[in-house]
Amino acid sequence: PLFVHYSVPVFNEPKYSKYCLESISAAAEFASEFIDTDIVAVNDASNDGETPQRLDETAANLSNVSIIH
């Protein structure tokens, strides 16, 4: 199968980053018969205090998502 890697930069947008990661993951699962997917969200020095925690929570629920802080 084809391998697709997504890199998602995140800065102070916990609500939208969660939606983005869930959306990419759902699309990847739909095409999983043909495509292996790896999703990496990069926390770009968020300073809102909420984004890092939300990213970790999101990654814990999605098997193909990893986070770089």
Side-chain angles (χ1 to χ4, degrees):
L2 181 67
F3 184 79
V4 177
H5 175 85
Y6 293 93
S7 296
V8 181
V10 179
F11 180 76
N12 290 347
E13 290 292 343
K15 176 182 172 185
Y16 298 111
S17 60
K18 180 178 189 243
Y19 175 76
C20 175
L21 295 173
E22 289 175 343
S23 179
I24 294 170
S25 183
E29 189 171 321
F30 178 75
S32 63
E33 183 178 339
F34 311 105
I35 301 172
D36 287 334
T37 306
D38 178 44
I39 305 164
V40 177
V42 180
N43 180 9
D44 195 14
S46 294
N47 57 11
D48 64 350
E50 187 178 354
T51 298
Q53 178 183 352
R54 283 280 189 96
L55 287 173
D56 290 338
E57 290 170 358
T58 302
N61 295 323
L62 301 172
S63 63
N64 57 346
V65 175
S66 57
I67 308 297
I68 298 175
H69 289 287

